[in-house]
């Protein structure tokens, strides 16, 4: 489960980068959803690196969505 969480976190981090560009904020919704799934998978293993990656990605995506009004 740790490997799955880390892989989800890396994929979501890659998707996060284009979402920071104006008018591509819609990708942040998919990134946020994927990061939440990664958080669920990362909560169970002993090592929490996947949880940490996914929490960081989810925090950045949620902050960007908040600042853009949820759309942009």
């Amino acid at each position: 489960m740790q490997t799955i969480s880390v892989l989800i976190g890396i994929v979501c981090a890659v998707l996060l980068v284009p979402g920071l560009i104006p008018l591509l904020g819609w990708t942040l919704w998919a990134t946020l959803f994927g990061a939440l799934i990664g958080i669920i998978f990362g909560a169970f293993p002993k090592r929490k690196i996947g949880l940490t990656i996914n929490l960081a990605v989810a925090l950045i995506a949620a902050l960007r969505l908040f600042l853009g009004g949820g759309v942009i």
Side-chain angles (χ1 to χ4, degrees), residues 40-60:
I40 292 170
F41 279 114
F44 297 112
K46 192 175 195 179
R47 295 180 58 212
K48 301 294 182 187
I49 188 69
L51 179 67
T52 306
I53 292 170
N54 286 301
L55 280 174
V57 169
L59 181 69
I60 293 170

Side-chain angles (χ1 to χ4, degrees), residues 1-71:
M1 291 183 83
Q2 179 67 30
T3 306
I4 294 170
S5 179
V6 171
L7 288 175
I8 291 172
I10 291 171
V11 169
C12 288
V14 169
L15 289 175
L16 178 71
V17 175
L20 297 176
I21 298 170
L23 301 176
L24 290 177
W26 55 270
T27 60
L28 293 173
W29 287 106
T31 303
L32 188 59
F33 179 71
L36 290 176
I37 292 174
I39 288 170
I40 292 170
F41 279 114
F44 297 112
K46 192 175 195 179
R47 295 180 58 212
K48 301 294 182 187
I49 188 69
L51 179 67
T52 306
I53 292 170
N54 286 301
L55 280 174
V57 169
L59 181 69
I60 293 170
L63 179 66
R64 173 63 175 89
L65 281 169
F66 176 75
L67 291 175
V71 178

